[in-house]
């Protein structure tokens, strides 16, 4: 069963999230479940929201609709967009956030404002976007010229690891509730560079990971949290295939002062 999911910075204590959920449940959305991915995103933190949604949406059933209801930092709200990518639909402000979710998409549309709606993105507009997806069976081009207009999405610069000769430079992009630090360095980039250096006879493939400065170092990548003794730190590629720094049974972020946007470097040992 496909789902309608919510990722928001609206929290649990206000009325906005219940209003949106109630409005969505009042739509003719038979055959869809309503799921919350996260309602505790820090206010205005679209980067955090996009990181969580980026690594969550592929696990949902085909045809799911993902609502990214995180307030943008701009004083004037951007247009509300519906984006189609593969078997999924995404709804959110067109302020650059979608370029943090994926590198490409199939089609995108702006919702044409109605006179009865306010100038900013609100619950009625989100529900109207969901209704259009349901009524069209996903064939949104049928509403062009009326409810929708084709859109070329705004792009924003996001965190991307940089692969250089002999090293990879990335950053911490997420610190979870356990104090584990997740980076933007991917397994594929690591293995590809390591294999290249070995095949060219430039290195034996050994390396050092520097985290947050010269003092916290790792010389091997483990299997997971339990690849070291309790209280010890480790590095490994997690279920998102991203390099994660962790402490078995503790918080590496608190113990080592790691924060989002801190630089992480993998430097391979080059012969000579």
């Amino acid at each position: 069963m496909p789902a309608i999911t919510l990722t928001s910075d609206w929290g649990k204590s206000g009325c906005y999230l219940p209003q949106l959920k109630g409005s969505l449940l009042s739509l003719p959305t038979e055959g869809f479940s309503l799921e919350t991915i996260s309602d505790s995103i820090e206010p205005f933190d679209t980067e955090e929201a996009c990181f969580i949604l980026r690594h969550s949406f592929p696990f949902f059933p085909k045809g799911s609709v993902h609502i990214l209801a995180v307030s943008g930092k701009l004083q004037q709200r951007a247009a509300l967009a519906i984006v189609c990518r593969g078997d999924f639909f995404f709804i959110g402000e067109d302020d650059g956030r979608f370029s943090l979710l994926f590198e490409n998409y199939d089609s995108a549309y702006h919702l044409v404002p109605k006179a009865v709606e306010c100038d900013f993105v609100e619950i009625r507009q989100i529900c109207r976007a969901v209704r259009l997806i349901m009524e069209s069976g996903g064939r949104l081009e049928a509403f062009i010229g009326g409810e929708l207009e084709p859109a070329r999405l705004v792009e924003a610069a996001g965190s991307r690891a940089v692969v250089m000769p002999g090293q990879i430079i990335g950053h911490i992009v997420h610190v979870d509730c356990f104090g584990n630090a997740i980076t933007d360095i991917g397994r594929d980039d690591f293995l590809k560079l390591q294999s290249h250096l070995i095949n060219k006879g430039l290195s034996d493939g050994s390396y050092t990971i520097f985290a947050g400065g010269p003092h916290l170092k790792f010389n091997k990548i483990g299997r997971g949290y339990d690849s070291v003794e309790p209280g010890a730190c480790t590095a490994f590629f997690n279920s998102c295939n991203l390099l994660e720094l962790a402490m078995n049974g503790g918080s590496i972020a608190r113990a080592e002062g790691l924060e989002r946007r801190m630089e992480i470097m993998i430097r391979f040992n080059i012969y000579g």
Side-chain angles (χ1 to χ4, degrees), residues 40-206:
S40 56
I41 303 296
E42 289 295 318
F44 310 111
D45 197 342
T46 53
E47 287 186 16
E48 176 82 352
C50 289
F51 173 84
I52 291 174
L53 183 55
R54 179 187 180 106
H55 296 287
S56 301
F57 81 79
F59 295 89
F60 280 83
K62 295 179 179 180
S64 292
V65 179
H66 300 286
I67 300 170
L68 190 52
V70 176
S71 303
K73 293 183 180 179
L74 300 178
Q75 291 295 317
Q76 185 173 1
R77 299 277 182 131
L80 189 71
I82 303 175
V83 183
C84 310
R85 184 182 186 275
D87 298 307
F88 302 101
F89 302 92
F90 300 84
I91 297 172
E93 293 181 49
D94 183 14
D95 57 359
R97 65 186 61 190
F98 293 108
S99 61
L100 304 179
L101 270 178
F102 29 67
E103 285 71 36
N104 51 69
Y105 56 91
D106 299 323
S107 57
Y109 308 89
H110 283 161
L111 195 68
V112 176
K114 289 188 174 181
V116 296
E117 294 175 338
C118 300
D119 291 334
F120 53 85
V121 174
E122 51 150 32
I123 291 172
R124 281 178 292 180
Q125 289 179 306
I126 293 173
C127 289
R128 183 154 65 97
V130 173
R131 178 179 57 79
L132 292 177
I133 294 172
M134 301 299 169
E135 290 182 359
S136 68
R139 305 180 70 86
L140 292 166
E141 62 273 11
F143 292 103
I144 293 177
E147 299 264 20
L148 300 175
E149 57 186 18
R152 181 174 180 178
L153 298 177
V154 174
E155 294 188 6
S159 176
R160 296 286 190 276
V162 178
V163 180
M164 306 170 67
Q167 63 183 16
I168 303 174
I169 298 177
H171 297 84
I172 295 173
V173 294
H174 178 66
V175 177
D176 67 19
C177 61
F178 296 101
N180 303 313
I182 302 169
T183 77
D184 55 4
I185 298 176
R187 183 199 303 268
D188 288 345
D189 284 340
F190 171 81
L191 293 176
K192 187 180 298 183
L193 180 57
Q194 185 183 50
S195 177
H196 170 77
L197 294 173
I198 293 173
N199 291 337
K200 292 293 184 180
L202 300 173
S203 170
D204 62 359
S206 61

